[in-house]
Amino acid sequence: MGLTSNSGFYLSRKVVVLAVVALGALLLSVAVLSSFVVPCSHTPSQPSEKSRTVPRAAPAIQGVAFKQQAEEEKKATKTSNIRGPGTRPSVRRPSWSWDHRSQSTSGPLNHPNLTTSGPLDRPTLSTSGPLDDTNLTTSGPLDHPTLSTSGPLDDTNQTTSGPLDHPTLSSSSSQPQSTSEPWKHQRLPSDVVRLPSDVVPLHYDLELWVPLQPDQIANSSKSFSGRLNITVKCVSPTTRVLIHSLHLDYEGAKVLGPLPEGPGADREQWPVGQVSVNNLWKFLEMEYLVMELSETLKPGSHYVLQFDFSGLVNQTDKDGLFRNLYTDQGETRALIASQLEPTHARRIFPCFDEPAMKATFSITIVHHPTYVALSNMPVLATSEREDVKGNKWIVTSFETTPLMSTYITAFAVCDYNYVNGTERGKEVRIWARKDAVAEGGADFALSIAGPIFSKLEDLFNVGYPLPKIDLIGFPIFNTQAMENWGLITFDDFVLVQEKDDHPERKSIILSTVAHEIAHQWFGNLVTAKWWNDIWLNEGFATYFEYYTTKHFDPQIFKFQNEFFYYSDMKDVYKEDHAMMHRTVSTEVKNYANTQEISDLFDLYIYKKGGCVIRMMSNFLSENLFLRGIESYLKTFAFSNAEQDDLWNHLQMVLDNQTEILLPASVKSIMDKWTHQSGFPIITLDVSTGMVNQEPFFLANYKNQMTTLHNNTWIVPITWTKNGIVQPLVWLDESSKIFPEMQLSYSEHDWVTLNLNTTGYYMVNYDQLGWKKISLLLQKDPKAIPATDRMKLFDDAFRLSWNDYIEIETVLDLTKYLAKEEEVIVWDTVLQNLLTSDIFVNLNNHDIYPLFKKYLLKRITPMWRIYSTKIRENNLEDDIMAILSLRSVFGAACWLGLEDCLQLSKEMFSKWMNHSEIIKNSNLITYEVMCYGIAMGSDREWDFLLNVCENKSEGNRDGIIRSLSCSKEPWILYRYMEYALNANLFGSDSAKVIQNVAATEVGRLVVKDFLVNNWQAVMEKFGKENVFYLAHILAKPISTNAQIHELQQLFGNMLGEKITNVLHTHLHKEMERNKQNDRKIAQIANWLKKNMAD
């Protein structure tokens, strides 16, 4: 079928196709005759690729040392007895393999029988546009001719695949069948949700061509091509091979083998047989490429799967092979890199894309001389290739990897510079934009990366097995960071410092780098066998991130427990409960949809996983824990493990000593924490010493409790009595009496459970227990560690909000706050107390002036300390302030503390006058902008709007929110008009009205605005955004009259069906607010009684 060009002319391909086929067949015959012993002799007579090593133009890679793997192995860390598998790159290649450094081609991966008019281009089909996904007639570079009307095998029925110009496979290679939807005519058994084990991979020999060119970024960054040999072992007889593939096009595929075996097989160039591929088709539901073979593969024999393929570079999402556009040295530049976890390797090359199917990889990247190519291993060699026009391309080959999973392979082609150092004989490099490197932005990451590697090597007594360590930052990287073995990738924000950066950036970089380096052991060296146990990767990386950072930051070391609780436990603790239906380790499941795998990467595997590991380390003792980890890592190095493997190795070290005794096996204890949802409430009755446990339920789930949710745990209880740390005890039943926990009525007698918050559980007390803690805080708050004070308030407030204890019990704990010197504890109190759910109706009650008087009296001493630090720019070394200052600053201004309001106005004024930017910490930028606007006039408002338009300063989302802080109704009305009629805010326009609606003054203004502009609002924002706006306006409603008002307002906009949904929602909001009103009344009564305290 012909194609319609953009100009409207109908072009026939037949003449072009016939000419190409004829010429291709002639040259192919010559090629076949000249190398008849197919894979036996692949040495070209006149290689066009130069054998010398090419001096690279990019300064970023000058001075790279090409070291032999044997030399690297001699330098292996003395602490390790693990060596990588024998995958030396110098081993002679078998006869069936292509040699990347000596193959004769007329261009990088170019068909020798096609004369091209540009680098690696197909014969032009007279078109007027670049490569397009739907209009496949293109004149852009690097495009294929279509040799049949059916086109290459493609997921979307495209007839071209982009720039695949490889030497063609032999004439016996299988071509994709002509049917456009072959999967409809082929069936697979129902048990192939996972790859079958008939064939397993041993080695990938992968060559990727990334045709990115600096002077043709748009056209040259759309696609890529590659060719691949996978050496596999047949485990059981099969006539079908399944392999993962997604959105890749194929020119064909073939199977070579069985390969020679026995002595001399690697030294002699024996002839290799071939197994015909009868059919090649895709099973899209499971993302498989299916190879139907003409004969049965023999168990125990090795074969080679050969593919010639191409794909598209991701222009938007940062998955698979993706593009970044950025500005460096005043120019727009591009890079292409990869992100493969969890299941995106199949988007770049066909592979056995499951974590347990480990293999070794020999990777080669063909790229433009402007760029440097990076991968997991050091560069083995670089050479030149020329295309038919004489343009030079660089061929960069890398040493062979150890055994590893597909998802940690990595590629980057970029025009970057680096800073480097050496750690225990291995080069460490931080790659970044040239401007960033020149300004010293990569220096801090370099100063910590090598020492973190050494710290973890010593800690585990297991060396890092790769010969180099690269860390690279991308301007935009949705994943934030990825632990690829030997080439760790980051978003710039978590790797590269900026000039005049905020002080919290160093802490973020330290934590992120430590997390990803920990993965080099947990995830890379030892990999979870299947995704249900991915917490073995992420939970351990989280725990050792915390463990490592405390050794590199004195402030974190001083507040290590507080830092862990704030950074890791607090977030998941607020989300978790018995009805969550989410556990750390899930049942083994054959996921039918890869999105299900991606969804596993959540708070529970990262943070709850880290929490239960920390708890386990504490009750085992650090020494035993680390000995068990060493045994686990050494046993499963270059292999895969599951949760029980970890328990077994910890149990082995436990059984070989007598000091630490547990009430049950490690497995019996820990399975309850990883396989059960939620956590227990541990309640102590100090009058009797009775301790019991029950699952924690949210208030609205309590009526759904069944025997199925009556879980128990084996709970390690750390505790303190009268300031003396007591021996750990175990609660291995629903309830148990501990006589030593019984208290007298003496004011000097007190007890607290969960010392240093090492346990992942909530603590409750009887009335006497809570009273004693309240009195202790008033007398000597430091008698309870800061981390335990944080957890005490989180527990008490959450127990109260969910009707386990009365709110008055919690408020009694706040009486001492004038003596509280730790800002991070204040942060915990304020986040729990000043919630929008409780105080949305605050100004409709007499509680606000009471609340203001009570809290200002207690927060002022803390404010004096930190307002001075802010004015003196003296926050850089205060990690606790960096983490938690924002809530204290915001609360002080919200409560009307005059000095806070004046400081905001003062800082905003300096910013307006260009004397200095808002700095000290990102954490107060929004507060300063918001209260600067609230205290100012239209002059301040117009200034901030101009900043938003120019995008020159500040966070855009924060600016859009801050503009709604004005107290002037006419300014807010004008703000919404700008959002509706101008294009100032783009896709953020809906946020403008929503932010205004969330403010006290704005709520009324928005209603008036909607009455006058409802049709325009609907046209601009659509029903979804309008419904959300109604939800915001509904937050304070408490009467049927208010419900009727909102239904009248939104009825015409949303239509009858959605309005009925809104009606139900409004009634739920009203009932919730009535419940909150009862809480607020209780708080008001308590404040009246205790104002003098």
Side-chain angles (χ1 to χ4, degrees), residues 983-1008:
N983 196 29
L984 297 175
F985 308 105
S987 60
D988 294 322
S989 295
K991 292 180 182 178
V992 170
I993 299 183
Q994 292 163 2
N995 288 333
V996 173
T999 67
E1000 183 77 19
V1001 176
R1003 193 173 293 123
L1004 298 174
V1005 180
V1006 166
K1007 291 178 182 178
D1008 187 43

PDB file of all heavy atoms in Angstrom, residues 983-1008:
ATOM      1  N   ASN A 983      -3.328  33.480  30.123  1.00  0.00           N
ATOM      2  CA  ASN A 983      -2.592  32.215  30.070  1.00  0.00           C
ATOM      3  C   ASN A 983      -1.350  32.298  30.951  1.00  0.00           C
ATOM      4  O   ASN A 983      -0.294  31.795  30.600  1.00  0.00           O
ATOM      5  CB  ASN A 983      -2.204  31.904  28.620  1.00  0.00           C
ATOM      6  CG  ASN A 983      -1.785  30.457  28.459  1.00  0.00           C
ATOM      7  OD1 ASN A 983      -2.257  29.585  29.189  1.00  0.00           O
ATOM      8  ND2 ASN A 983      -0.893  30.206  27.528  1.00  0.00           N
ATOM      9  N   LEU A 984      -1.519  32.935  32.107  1.00  0.00           N
ATOM     10  CA  LEU A 984      -0.363  33.156  32.979  1.00  0.00           C
ATOM     11  C   LEU A 984       0.062  31.886  33.708  1.00  0.00           C
ATOM     12  O   LEU A 984       1.240  31.711  34.013  1.00  0.00           O
ATOM     13  CB  LEU A 984      -0.698  34.238  34.025  1.00  0.00           C
ATOM     14  CG  LEU A 984      -1.001  35.634  33.504  1.00  0.00           C
ATOM     15  CD1 LEU A 984      -1.430  36.545  34.647  1.00  0.00           C
ATOM     16  CD2 LEU A 984       0.234  36.201  32.812  1.00  0.00           C
ATOM     17  N   PHE A 985      -0.883  31.013  33.993  1.00  0.00           N
ATOM     18  CA  PHE A 985      -0.598  29.900  34.888  1.00  0.00           C
ATOM     19  C   PHE A 985      -0.665  28.539  34.213  1.00  0.00           C
ATOM     20  O   PHE A 985      -0.429  27.526  34.848  1.00  0.00           O
ATOM     21  CB  PHE A 985      -1.570  29.935  36.073  1.00  0.00           C
ATOM     22  CG  PHE A 985      -1.608  31.270  36.765  1.00  0.00           C
ATOM     23  CD1 PHE A 985      -2.686  32.128  36.593  1.00  0.00           C
ATOM     24  CD2 PHE A 985      -0.560  31.688  37.555  1.00  0.00           C
ATOM     25  CE1 PHE A 985      -2.723  33.363  37.208  1.00  0.00           C
ATOM     26  CE2 PHE A 985      -0.580  32.922  38.181  1.00  0.00           C
ATOM     27  CZ  PHE A 985      -1.670  33.773  38.009  1.00  0.00           C
ATOM     28  N   GLY A 986      -1.003  28.514  32.930  1.00  0.00           N
ATOM     29  CA  GLY A 986      -0.990  27.269  32.186  1.00  0.00           C
ATOM     30  C   GLY A 986      -1.858  26.203  32.835  1.00  0.00           C
ATOM     31  O   GLY A 986      -3.007  26.426  33.218  1.00  0.00           O
ATOM     32  N   SER A 987      -1.270  25.013  33.012  1.00  0.00           N
ATOM     33  CA  SER A 987      -2.012  23.893  33.587  1.00  0.00           C
ATOM     34  C   SER A 987      -2.297  24.078  35.071  1.00  0.00           C
ATOM     35  O   SER A 987      -3.059  23.306  35.656  1.00  0.00           O
ATOM     36  CB  SER A 987      -1.225  22.594  33.386  1.00  0.00           C
ATOM     37  OG  SER A 987       0.039  22.680  34.016  1.00  0.00           O
ATOM     38  N   ASP A 988      -1.688  25.085  35.688  1.00  0.00           N
ATOM     39  CA  ASP A 988      -1.924  25.354  37.114  1.00  0.00           C
ATOM     40  C   ASP A 988      -3.106  26.286  37.354  1.00  0.00           C
ATOM     41  O   ASP A 988      -3.373  26.650  38.505  1.00  0.00           O
ATOM     42  CB  ASP A 988      -0.669  25.967  37.751  1.00  0.00           C
ATOM     43  CG  ASP A 988       0.497  24.995  37.772  1.00  0.00           C
ATOM     44  OD1 ASP A 988       0.250  23.798  38.002  1.00  0.00           O
ATOM     45  OD2 ASP A 988       1.645  25.430  37.566  1.00  0.00           O
ATOM     46  N   SER A 989      -3.813  26.675  36.304  1.00  0.00           N
ATOM     47  CA  SER A 989      -4.883  27.661  36.459  1.00  0.00           C
ATOM     48  C   SER A 989      -5.954  27.208  37.440  1.00  0.00           C
ATOM     49  O   SER A 989      -6.470  27.996  38.233  1.00  0.00           O
ATOM     50  CB  SER A 989      -5.519  27.957  35.093  1.00  0.00           C
ATOM     51  OG  SER A 989      -4.593  28.579  34.232  1.00  0.00           O
ATOM     52  N   ALA A 990      -6.316  25.916  37.395  1.00  0.00           N
ATOM     53  CA  ALA A 990      -7.350  25.421  38.297  1.00  0.00           C
ATOM     54  C   ALA A 990      -6.915  25.538  39.749  1.00  0.00           C
ATOM     55  O   ALA A 990      -7.744  25.748  40.646  1.00  0.00           O
ATOM     56  CB  ALA A 990      -7.694  23.966  37.964  1.00  0.00           C
ATOM     57  N   LYS A 991      -5.604  25.407  39.996  1.00  0.00           N
ATOM     58  CA  LYS A 991      -5.102  25.511  41.370  1.00  0.00           C
ATOM     59  C   LYS A 991      -5.352  26.895  41.953  1.00  0.00           C
ATOM     60  O   LYS A 991      -5.496  27.043  43.165  1.00  0.00           O
ATOM     61  CB  LYS A 991      -3.604  25.215  41.412  1.00  0.00           C
ATOM     62  CG  LYS A 991      -3.231  23.780  41.102  1.00  0.00           C
ATOM     63  CD  LYS A 991      -1.718  23.606  41.184  1.00  0.00           C
ATOM     64  CE  LYS A 991      -1.302  22.188  40.817  1.00  0.00           C
ATOM     65  NZ  LYS A 991       0.167  22.045  40.848  1.00  0.00           N
ATOM     66  N   VAL A 992      -5.385  27.906  41.091  1.00  0.00           N
ATOM     67  CA  VAL A 992      -5.575  29.272  41.576  1.00  0.00           C
ATOM     68  C   VAL A 992      -6.897  29.381  42.330  1.00  0.00           C
ATOM     69  O   VAL A 992      -6.945  29.819  43.484  1.00  0.00           O
ATOM     70  CB  VAL A 992      -5.527  30.273  40.406  1.00  0.00           C
ATOM     71  CG1 VAL A 992      -5.963  31.661  40.871  1.00  0.00           C
ATOM     72  CG2 VAL A 992      -4.118  30.329  39.818  1.00  0.00           C
ATOM     73  N   ILE A 993      -7.997  28.981  41.680  1.00  0.00           N
ATOM     74  CA  ILE A 993      -9.314  29.089  42.315  1.00  0.00           C
ATOM     75  C   ILE A 993      -9.400  28.158  43.522  1.00  0.00           C
ATOM     76  O   ILE A 993      -9.982  28.515  44.553  1.00  0.00           O
ATOM     77  CB  ILE A 993     -10.425  28.796  41.296  1.00  0.00           C
ATOM     78  CG1 ILE A 993     -10.364  29.820  40.151  1.00  0.00           C
ATOM     79  CG2 ILE A 993     -11.788  28.804  41.948  1.00  0.00           C
ATOM     80  CD1 ILE A 993     -11.457  29.683  39.129  1.00  0.00           C
ATOM     81  N   GLN A 994      -8.825  26.977  43.406  1.00  0.00           N
ATOM     82  CA  GLN A 994      -8.858  26.033  44.523  1.00  0.00           C
ATOM     83  C   GLN A 994      -8.097  26.575  45.732  1.00  0.00           C
ATOM     84  O   GLN A 994      -8.549  26.434  46.877  1.00  0.00           O
ATOM     85  CB  GLN A 994      -8.290  24.684  44.074  1.00  0.00           C
ATOM     86  CG  GLN A 994      -9.182  23.973  43.059  1.00  0.00           C
ATOM     87  CD  GLN A 994      -8.468  22.870  42.308  1.00  0.00           C
ATOM     88  OE1 GLN A 994      -7.291  22.584  42.556  1.00  0.00           O
ATOM     89  NE2 GLN A 994      -9.162  22.250  41.367  1.00  0.00           N
ATOM     90  N   ASN A 995      -6.941  27.200  45.509  1.00  0.00           N
ATOM     91  CA  ASN A 995      -6.174  27.777  46.614  1.00  0.00           C
ATOM     92  C   ASN A 995      -6.919  28.942  47.264  1.00  0.00           C
ATOM     93  O   ASN A 995      -6.919  29.085  48.491  1.00  0.00           O
ATOM     94  CB  ASN A 995      -4.809  28.254  46.123  1.00  0.00           C
ATOM     95  CG  ASN A 995      -3.862  27.105  45.806  1.00  0.00           C
ATOM     96  OD1 ASN A 995      -3.985  26.020  46.365  1.00  0.00           O
ATOM     97  ND2 ASN A 995      -2.926  27.332  44.912  1.00  0.00           N
ATOM     98  N   VAL A 996      -7.540  29.762  46.447  1.00  0.00           N
ATOM     99  CA  VAL A 996      -8.308  30.886  46.996  1.00  0.00           C
ATOM    100  C   VAL A 996      -9.466  30.357  47.838  1.00  0.00           C
ATOM    101  O   VAL A 996      -9.748  30.859  48.932  1.00  0.00           O
ATOM    102  CB  VAL A 996      -8.821  31.804  45.868  1.00  0.00           C
ATOM    103  CG1 VAL A 996      -9.763  32.864  46.425  1.00  0.00           C
ATOM    104  CG2 VAL A 996      -7.648  32.480  45.154  1.00  0.00           C
ATOM    105  N   ALA A 997     -10.143  29.324  47.332  1.00  0.00           N
ATOM    106  CA  ALA A 997     -11.301  28.758  48.044  1.00  0.00           C
ATOM    107  C   ALA A 997     -10.927  28.181  49.400  1.00  0.00           C
ATOM    108  O   ALA A 997     -11.778  28.070  50.290  1.00  0.00           O
ATOM    109  CB  ALA A 997     -11.966  27.681  47.188  1.00  0.00           C
ATOM    110  N   ALA A 998      -9.665  27.805  49.577  1.00  0.00           N
ATOM    111  CA  ALA A 998      -9.238  27.181  50.832  1.00  0.00           C
ATOM    112  C   ALA A 998      -8.933  28.207  51.920  1.00  0.00           C
ATOM    113  O   ALA A 998      -8.645  27.825  53.054  1.00  0.00           O
ATOM    114  CB  ALA A 998      -8.004  26.316  50.573  1.00  0.00           C
ATOM    115  N   THR A 999      -9.000  29.508  51.610  1.00  0.00           N
ATOM    116  CA  THR A 999      -8.690  30.538  52.603  1.00  0.00           C
ATOM    117  C   THR A 999      -9.970  31.102  53.212  1.00  0.00           C
ATOM    118  O   THR A 999     -11.062  30.994  52.631  1.00  0.00           O
ATOM    119  CB  THR A 999      -7.877  31.689  51.981  1.00  0.00           C
ATOM    120  OG1 THR A 999      -8.700  32.387  51.030  1.00  0.00           O
ATOM    121  CG2 THR A 999      -6.638  31.160  51.284  1.00  0.00           C
ATOM    122  N   GLU A1000      -9.824  31.717  54.385  1.00  0.00           N
ATOM    123  CA  GLU A1000     -10.977  32.252  55.111  1.00  0.00           C
ATOM    124  C   GLU A1000     -11.692  33.324  54.304  1.00  0.00           C
ATOM    125  O   GLU A1000     -12.907  33.291  54.122  1.00  0.00           O
ATOM    126  CB  GLU A1000     -10.499  32.818  56.449  1.00  0.00           C
ATOM    127  CG  GLU A1000     -11.592  33.331  57.342  1.00  0.00           C
ATOM    128  CD  GLU A1000     -12.343  32.222  58.041  1.00  0.00           C
ATOM    129  OE1 GLU A1000     -11.807  31.102  58.125  1.00  0.00           O
ATOM    130  OE2 GLU A1000     -13.479  32.466  58.494  1.00  0.00           O
ATOM    131  N   VAL A1001     -10.914  34.287  53.783  1.00  0.00           N
ATOM    132  CA  VAL A1001     -11.507  35.373  52.995  1.00  0.00           C
ATOM    133  C   VAL A1001     -11.929  34.864  51.622  1.00  0.00           C
ATOM    134  O   VAL A1001     -12.999  35.189  51.109  1.00  0.00           O
ATOM    135  CB  VAL A1001     -10.512  36.540  52.844  1.00  0.00           C
ATOM    136  CG1 VAL A1001     -11.093  37.634  51.954  1.00  0.00           C
ATOM    137  CG2 VAL A1001     -10.136  37.100  54.210  1.00  0.00           C
ATOM    138  N   GLY A1002     -11.074  34.035  51.031  1.00  0.00           N
ATOM    139  CA  GLY A1002     -11.310  33.580  49.663  1.00  0.00           C
ATOM    140  C   GLY A1002     -12.544  32.735  49.479  1.00  0.00           C
ATOM    141  O   GLY A1002     -13.137  32.717  48.397  1.00  0.00           O
ATOM    142  N   ARG A1003     -12.986  32.040  50.518  1.00  0.00           N
ATOM    143  CA  ARG A1003     -14.149  31.164  50.394  1.00  0.00           C
ATOM    144  C   ARG A1003     -15.381  31.942  49.931  1.00  0.00           C
ATOM    145  O   ARG A1003     -16.131  31.494  49.060  1.00  0.00           O
ATOM    146  CB  ARG A1003     -14.399  30.475  51.741  1.00  0.00           C
ATOM    147  CG  ARG A1003     -15.371  29.321  51.678  1.00  0.00           C
ATOM    148  CD  ARG A1003     -15.431  28.596  53.018  1.00  0.00           C
ATOM    149  NE  ARG A1003     -14.167  27.940  53.301  1.00  0.00           N
ATOM    150  CZ  ARG A1003     -13.433  28.158  54.397  1.00  0.00           C
ATOM    151  NH1 ARG A1003     -13.849  29.014  55.302  1.00  0.00           N
ATOM    152  NH2 ARG A1003     -12.307  27.517  54.578  1.00  0.00           N
ATOM    153  N   LEU A1004     -15.569  33.113  50.497  1.00  0.00           N
ATOM    154  CA  LEU A1004     -16.710  33.938  50.125  1.00  0.00           C
ATOM    155  C   LEU A1004     -16.521  34.560  48.746  1.00  0.00           C
ATOM    156  O   LEU A1004     -17.471  34.672  47.962  1.00  0.00           O
ATOM    157  CB  LEU A1004     -16.930  35.028  51.173  1.00  0.00           C
ATOM    158  CG  LEU A1004     -17.249  34.541  52.592  1.00  0.00           C
ATOM    159  CD1 LEU A1004     -17.304  35.717  53.562  1.00  0.00           C
ATOM    160  CD2 LEU A1004     -18.565  33.779  52.606  1.00  0.00           C
ATOM    161  N   VAL A1005     -15.284  34.945  48.452  1.00  0.00           N
ATOM    162  CA  VAL A1005     -14.998  35.566  47.155  1.00  0.00           C
ATOM    163  C   VAL A1005     -15.226  34.565  46.028  1.00  0.00           C
ATOM    164  O   VAL A1005     -15.763  34.914  44.970  1.00  0.00           O
ATOM    165  CB  VAL A1005     -13.554  36.108  47.126  1.00  0.00           C
ATOM    166  CG1 VAL A1005     -13.247  36.746  45.775  1.00  0.00           C
ATOM    167  CG2 VAL A1005     -13.330  37.111  48.246  1.00  0.00           C
ATOM    168  N   VAL A1006     -14.839  33.322  46.239  1.00  0.00           N
ATOM    169  CA  VAL A1006     -15.003  32.300  45.201  1.00  0.00           C
ATOM    170  C   VAL A1006     -16.482  32.082  44.889  1.00  0.00           C
ATOM    171  O   VAL A1006     -16.865  31.940  43.721  1.00  0.00           O
ATOM    172  CB  VAL A1006     -14.346  30.978  45.645  1.00  0.00           C
ATOM    173  CG1 VAL A1006     -14.800  29.819  44.764  1.00  0.00           C
ATOM    174  CG2 VAL A1006     -12.829  31.100  45.590  1.00  0.00           C
ATOM    175  N   LYS A1007     -17.322  32.036  45.900  1.00  0.00           N
ATOM    176  CA  LYS A1007     -18.751  31.847  45.657  1.00  0.00           C
ATOM    177  C   LYS A1007     -19.303  32.969  44.783  1.00  0.00           C
ATOM    178  O   LYS A1007     -20.073  32.723  43.835  1.00  0.00           O
ATOM    179  CB  LYS A1007     -19.513  31.788  46.982  1.00  0.00           C
ATOM    180  CG  LYS A1007     -19.231  30.549  47.808  1.00  0.00           C
ATOM    181  CD  LYS A1007     -19.975  30.577  49.131  1.00  0.00           C
ATOM    182  CE  LYS A1007     -19.653  29.357  49.981  1.00  0.00           C
ATOM    183  NZ  LYS A1007     -20.343  29.398  51.298  1.00  0.00           N
ATOM    184  N   ASP A1008     -18.931  34.195  45.078  1.00  0.00           N
ATOM    185  CA  ASP A1008     -19.373  35.331  44.278  1.00  0.00           C
ATOM    186  C   ASP A1008     -18.832  35.228  42.854  1.00  0.00           C
ATOM    187  O   ASP A1008     -19.540  35.499  41.874  1.00  0.00           O
ATOM    188  CB  ASP A1008     -18.899  36.624  44.953  1.00  0.00           C
ATOM    189  CG  ASP A1008     -19.462  37.861  44.274  1.00  0.00           C
ATOM    190  OD1 ASP A1008     -20.660  37.866  43.929  1.00  0.00           O
ATOM    191  OD2 ASP A1008     -18.693  38.831  44.085  1.00  0.00           O
TER     192      ASP A1008
END
